[in-house]
Amino acid sequence: VETLRHELANYEKDKMSLRNTKSRLLVLEDQFKRLEAQHQELQALFAKVEQERDNLVANFHESLADVRQRAGFKNTILEKRLTEFHESLDKKDTQLAQVLQAANLDPTTFETVTKKLDDMLETKNRTIKDLYFEMCKVESQHRDTIKAYEMKCKGAGIPSLDLEPLGISSIL
């Protein structure tokens, strides 16, 4: 009888343990289902982000190829213009030499006139470069001003004006 009572007590403990284990199992299964759903959502999000990355990389490579192609075209055009300018310069030098020879100037006077002309051309070229640099600075300041204007308008909730009819381009 004592053995049966002892087994009955153990049976009650085992029964309680089984109930606790079953409830714990239900909680863990529910948690597993939530984590599995979350995992699937994250995988879908990862696939979407990965697709966006691939699109961005493809767009980057297309843009890079486009920029390289345009740069190549510009370089070709610039090389052609440089060649034309060299040819024009050679013709002008030849014409100048012919004019100076026709004027029967002595070599010293010829060198003095040539030196003065070279100095004048160098000064004008330097002035052109300075003005070009100044123009680039002004264009940069203009772009920055337009960007600041658009940001201020956007920040204040005001739609920015269309500046194109005024002859002001927001993209230079």
Side-chain angles (χ1 to χ4, degrees), residues 149-163:
Y149 161 76
E150 289 174 348
M151 293 300 289
K152 292 282 184 178
C153 286
K154 189 176 183 181
I158 301 170
S160 60
L161 295 175
D162 182 19
L163 300 175

Side-chain angles (χ1 to χ4, degrees), residues 76-88:
T76 303
I77 291 169
L78 289 175
E79 287 174 3
K80 185 177 178 181
R81 287 180 64 196
L82 183 62
T83 303
E84 290 171 359
F85 285 136
H86 277 294
E87 291 172 359
S88 175

Side-chain angles (χ1 to χ4, degrees), residues 7-83:
E7 284 181 20
L8 183 60
N10 284 341
Y11 175 75
E12 291 298 326
K13 287 180 190 176
D14 288 345
K15 200 168 147 182
M16 178 75 79
S17 176
L18 181 62
R19 231 181 288 131
N20 290 340
T21 304
K22 281 185 178 180
S23 69
R24 175 101 171 106
L25 178 63
L26 289 174
V27 169
L28 289 175
E29 284 177 345
D30 185 47
Q31 185 180 8
F32 177 74
K33 286 178 184 176
R34 281 182 299 183
L35 288 174
E36 195 172 53
Q38 185 181 12
H39 177 71
Q40 288 176 353
E41 288 174 15
L42 289 174
Q43 279 184 324
L45 182 62
F46 175 73
K48 181 181 175 185
V49 168
E50 199 171 45
Q51 181 65 34
E52 287 178 15
R53 183 210 58 199
D54 293 344
N55 289 341
L56 287 174
V57 167
N59 287 340
F60 172 75
H61 287 296
E62 281 180 30
S63 297
L64 187 61
D66 185 47
V67 167
R68 284 182 179 161
Q69 184 180 22
R70 279 191 271 143
F73 289 147
K74 284 183 180 179
N75 285 341
T76 303
I77 291 169
L78 289 175
E79 287 174 3
K80 185 177 178 181
R81 287 180 64 196
L82 183 62
T83 303

Side-chain angles (χ1 to χ4, degrees), residues 89-168:
L89 178 64
D90 289 342
K91 287 179 184 176
K92 299 274 184 203
D93 282 343
T94 304
Q95 289 174 352
L96 178 62
Q98 289 173 351
V99 166
L100 292 176
Q101 282 179 349
N104 290 327
L105 295 176
D106 64 88
T108 314
T109 309
F110 176 76
E111 286 181 23
T112 305
V113 169
T114 305
K115 175 84 169 114
K116 285 181 181 179
L117 284 174
D118 286 342
D119 290 344
M120 184 177 63
L121 284 174
E122 186 178 325
T123 303
K124 289 187 181 213
N125 284 336
R126 199 173 320 115
T127 303
I128 289 170
K129 285 180 183 178
D130 291 344
L131 289 172
Y132 180 76
F133 177 72
E134 195 65 32
M135 181 185 73
C136 289
K137 279 178 34 180
V138 169
E139 285 177 351
S140 176
Q141 290 171 346
H142 177 264
R143 278 192 302 271
D144 293 345
T145 303
I146 296 297
K147 283 180 187 176
Y149 161 76
E150 289 174 348
M151 293 300 289
K152 292 282 184 178
C153 286
K154 189 176 183 181
I158 301 170
S160 60
L161 295 175
D162 182 19
L163 300 175
E164 293 295 328
L166 301 174
I168 301 171

